Amino acid sequence: MDNILKISHVCKTRGKINVLNNVSFAIPKGSIFAFLGSNGAGKSTLIHILLKLMKPNSGEIMLENKLLHHLKNDGQIGVVFQDNTLDEDLSVYDNLMIRGSLYRIEKKRLKNNITHIVNLLSMESFLYKKYGECSGGQKRIAMIARAIIVEPKVLILDEPTTALDPKIRKTVWDVILKLNGEKNMTIFFSSHYLEEAYYAKYVCILNRGKILYEGETEQLLYQNGRKKLILKEKNGFRELYVNSIQEGLQYMNHCNLSKLVSISLGDLSLEEVFLKMMEGG
């Protein structure tokens, strides 16, 4: 698969702190790519570098085999930040028109783009509502519409569903998946919700500026394919990790089964894998 973005040996320091330490990975074209890490891992710093809001100390970034920092700011990368950045006193439609005009899109083409996006993202019900009067989910969808109005090749989402309730989070992800599936848009997102990484085929895990893992999400789970055995007893429970079902069964053979209320043996979740990697386990 062709890579649309390639990050090579990127380093960024603040004083004596290595915020990014020799970070390298590639994002396949048309993929959904998850960028995970705890607070302070360096995720936002790399996103700012990708958006050319700051420069790395060293290393390079290629967008379709061209140096990113040599390209003009012509909307090839769209971004949805955590915070809402549209004018609360204007309608969603007027916000989109103003955004498009900043990129000097011809007015007829801009209106056609907005019509297409509104249909694609099912925005008809709140298109002419004041942005400040929209619900949290409507605001986030409007932010996504703003980011894709210039038809970017890559859409970056920085914590796209932070502070949204589960129902609205699902709605936002339905929109993101639709963009990826119908427009073949490359999606690169960071998230604190580990379960959202299941939407991604590829994942990069960052810790204190260094990459702990980069590759396919399924391969990450396979490489950390230990099982979790939970033995619930009348007065509490025991939890331990085993390398296989057979090992779990062998352990249970040495237990007093008459004292057990229930037994659970299953795969580690992505969140458990992530936490164990953060702990160095």
Side-chain angles (χ1 to χ4, degrees):
M1 185 179 290
D2 294 334
N3 294 319
I4 193 166
L5 266 174
K6 187 176 181 182
I7 293 90
S8 300
H9 308 292
V10 168
C11 295
K12 181 65 179 178
T13 59
R14 285 199 190 100
K16 296 181 180 180
I17 300 174
N18 290 319
V19 182
L20 295 173
N21 191 349
N22 198 32
V23 170
S24 298
F25 62 90
I27 301 175
K29 191 173 186 176
S31 67
I32 300 180
F33 194 105
F35 193 40
L36 306 179
S38 55
N39 287 333
K43 303 190 304 299
S44 293
T45 298
L46 182 61
I47 288 175
H48 287 155
I49 290 172
L50 289 174
L51 298 173
K52 298 196 283 188
L53 298 175
M54 65 172 62
K55 292 183 179 180
N57 294 95
S58 59
E60 64 180 25
I61 298 170
M62 307 291 287
L63 175 63
E64 292 192 320
N65 299 316
K66 297 177 183 177
L67 278 170
L68 180 65
H69 283 271
H70 289 174
L71 297 175
K72 295 180 180 179
N73 293 320
D74 57 359
Q76 294 187 75
I77 297 179
V79 60
V80 178
F81 291 109
Q82 292 183 46
D83 298 325
N84 295 319
T85 57
L86 298 184
D87 192 316
E88 301 242 332
D89 294 324
L90 296 179
S91 69
V92 171
Y93 178 81
D94 287 339
N95 270 294
L96 295 180
M97 286 293 292
I98 291 171
R99 168 68 176 181
S101 66
L102 293 175
Y103 282 91
R104 298 180 181 178
I105 301 174
E106 189 269 326
K107 194 170 184 178
K108 183 177 179 181
R109 181 189 160 209
L110 176 57
K111 287 185 175 181
N112 288 336
N113 281 2
I114 291 175
T115 298
H116 175 71
I117 290 168
V118 167
N119 292 332
L120 181 70
L121 306 187
S122 302
M123 297 172 59
E124 296 87 351
S125 64
F126 60 94
L127 182 62
Y128 296 104
K129 183 189 289 189
K130 278 189 177 182
Y131 182 72
E133 296 173 357
C134 290
S135 67
Q138 290 171 343
K139 285 184 175 181
R140 201 55 57 92
I141 291 169
M143 288 280 289
I144 293 172
R146 174 204 59 83
I148 66 172
I149 202 165
V150 290
E151 302 174 293
K153 296 175 180 177
V154 180
L155 178 61
I156 294 177
L157 302 118
D158 187 12
E159 306 286 349
T161 60
T162 295
L164 299 181
D165 66 48
K167 184 178 179 180
I168 297 176
R169 281 169 56 195
K170 182 183 183 304
T171 300
V172 171
W173 267 106
D174 286 343
V175 167
I176 295 170
L177 295 174
K178 193 171 187 179
L179 287 172
N180 176 254
E182 296 188 13
K183 304 287 287 185
N184 197 36
M185 190 175 290
T186 303
I187 307 294
F188 176 80
F189 74 94
S190 67
S191 180
H192 281 122
Y193 299 113
L194 274 297
E195 66 270 22
E196 292 187 338
Y198 285 106
Y199 291 117
K201 183 174 182 182
Y202 302 94
V203 62
C204 178
I205 296 177
L206 200 66
N207 185 38
R208 297 180 181 177
K210 291 184 178 181
I211 290 179
L212 297 183
Y213 175 85
E214 185 266 317
E216 292 193 16
T217 308
E218 286 188 5
Q219 186 66 21
L220 171 64
L221 293 170
Y222 176 78
Q223 289 178 4
N224 293 272
R226 300 178 73 193
K227 311 289 182 181
K228 183 166 72 172
L229 176 64
I230 301 175
L231 304 174
K232 187 176 181 181
E233 300 170 332
K234 294 178 181 179
N235 298 322
F237 70 93
R238 281 178 283 166
E239 181 178 287
L240 65 150
Y241 297 101
V242 295
N243 293 314
S244 65
I245 293 175
Q246 290 75 16
E247 184 177 327
L249 292 173
Q250 289 174 4
Y251 180 87
M252 285 188 286
N253 285 335
H254 296 90
C255 296
N256 187 342
L257 299 181
S258 64
K259 293 183 178 182
L260 296 179
V261 175
S262 65
I263 300 169
S264 173
L265 178 62
D267 295 328
L268 295 184
S269 67
L270 185 58
E271 183 172 7
E272 289 170 315
V273 170
F274 175 82
L275 291 174
K276 287 180 70 64
M277 292 181 75
M278 292 296 104
E279 295 167 0

